[in-house]
Amino acid sequence: MSTLSVIATPIGNLEDITLRALETLKKSDLVLCEDTRVTKKLFSRHSIASRTLSYHAHSKLSRTEEVIQLLKEGKNIALVSDAGTPGISDPGSELVRHIRESLMTEIAAGTIKIEAIPGPSALTAALSIAGVPCADFIFLGFLPHKKGRQTLFKEIADSERTVVFYESPHRIMKTLEVLGKEEGEKLREGIPDLGAVGQRQSGNTFTKRVTVCRELTKIFEEVVSGTPKEVLDYFNSHPDKVRGEFVVIVSDK
Ligand code: SAM
């Protein structure tokens, strides 16, 4: 039997990796990486010497076929991305889909297995410390750069569920600005006394809280929360903090 192990790796702190992930990476015949240089740092920290091969969104079909062939030959393969859980807003899901389709018979017969080795993800790390309602939420990954972006912001402002998305340092300020325009300012202008942040009002108008989780598990980890304008003001007065990696959460309270 051969296995494709889809393994979550750290989102910053190299210690954030499960025992099972380490064991599996050590035993794998081949580790498919988004960027082998990034994965090598993890390997060096944990003394892993397994063979690596780059596998990214633009990998040719021939590489996928190569992986399928290796699985058929009984090799154990691991799939990792640069950070967090493969497939969550990064390459990986395409490969898994292709393997599932191509090896349907072998998977059903139990000779090939696709297994999850769960662990960190910026999505769950952010939600776990934001202190927002997250019994149910909507995850948007990265917002589109152009087409559909404006509509999405309207949907976020109108959503009854907590909305989570990933954002880059180049766009975070603009995003906070638009979120502010979309809903916070509209409120202040239109309704004099809204009560507590998060209190739903009649119609579509209600206040939102924005929580920005930055550099999770790293030295400069930070959570900034408030109205869109408050969060924007904070980053305007701390331009040195408009860098690194961001998760943005928009919630009702
Ligand atoms: N697969 C990853 C996961 O499971 O979270 C996500 C990969 S996606 C290409 C990278 C984005 O995730 C970053 O641009 C950022 O928005 C978010 N991210 C990753 N690491 C982060 C961290 N340490 N702190 C905050 N956000 C992070």
Side-chain angles (χ1 to χ4, degrees), residues 2-251:
S2 57
T3 306
L4 173 73
S5 306
V6 182
I7 304 181
T9 57
I11 57 168
N13 187 324
L14 292 181
E15 310 266 300
D16 291 335
I17 185 151
T18 68
L19 297 174
R20 189 168 161 234
L22 289 176
E23 200 55 34
T24 309
L25 284 169
K26 281 179 187 162
K27 285 187 184 154
S28 293
D29 297 302
L30 179 66
V31 179
L32 302 172
C33 316
E34 190 178 351
D35 182 338
T36 52
R37 290 164 302 181
V38 174
T39 304
K40 287 273 169 64
K41 284 187 195 148
L42 178 71
F43 278 19
S44 144
R45 170 69 187 79
H46 294 287
S47 311
I48 300 168
S50 303
R51 184 160 85 87
T52 58
L53 184 72
S54 90
Y55 190 91
H56 44 77
H58 309 294
S59 286
K60 293 205 178 93
L61 195 60
S62 58
R63 182 139 292 182
T64 309
E65 294 308 328
E66 195 183 326
V67 173
I68 289 172
Q69 192 51 42
L70 287 168
L71 285 168
K72 280 182 174 168
E73 288 167 14
K75 300 278 191 257
N76 291 316
I77 298 183
L79 172 68
V80 298
S81 60
D82 283 352
T85 302
I88 306 299
S89 296
D90 63 23
S93 49
E94 263 305 292
L95 174 70
V96 173
R97 187 178 65 84
H98 201 85
I99 290 177
R100 274 208 181 280
E101 280 171 6
S102 307
L103 300 177
M104 215 183 287
T105 317
E106 291 84 346
I107 292 170
T111 53
I112 292 181
K113 184 179 163 193
I114 301 179
E115 68 176 12
I117 303 203
S121 175
L123 167 66
T124 47
L127 281 172
S128 74
I129 56 168
V132 299
C134 56
D136 63 343
F137 61 87
I138 297 170
F139 175 56
L140 299 175
F142 287 105
L143 304 183
H145 292 180
K146 289 199 180 92
K147 199 165 178 282
R149 193 170 168 90
Q150 200 53 42
T151 320
L152 218 42
F153 278 122
K154 280 199 195 322
E155 283 172 20
I156 292 169
D158 286 348
S159 174
E160 292 188 18
R161 293 197 173 87
T162 293
V163 178
V164 190
F165 57 94
Y166 289 160
E167 193 51 283
S168 78
H170 314 291
R171 263 180 280 274
I172 186 74
M173 297 303 273
K174 188 75 201 152
T175 294
L176 291 170
E177 245 172 64
V178 178
L179 282 174
K181 272 198 194 116
E182 212 38 74
E183 93 102 44
E185 299 312 315
K186 175 178 69 183
L187 276 179
R188 260 181 227 110
E189 283 163 17
I191 305 165
D193 182 15
L194 279 170
V197 169
Q199 195 175 321
R200 186 166 291 281
Q201 304 295 315
S202 59
N204 259 346
T205 318
F206 51 92
T207 50
K208 287 287 185 192
R209 172 147 77 112
V210 172
T211 306
V212 172
C213 301
R214 173 180 164 260
E215 293 290 84
L216 293 165
T217 78
K218 304 184 200 176
I219 295 169
F220 298 109
E221 173 173 318
E222 182 176 29
V223 175
V224 184
S225 186
T227 65
K229 185 171 182 313
E230 283 166 350
V231 178
L232 181 66
D233 288 349
Y234 174 83
F235 282 108
N236 265 325
S237 51
H238 297 87
D240 55 312
K241 297 183 172 197
V242 187
R243 61 173 64 143
E245 301 193 279
F246 296 85
V247 180
V248 181
I249 303 176
V250 183
S251 62

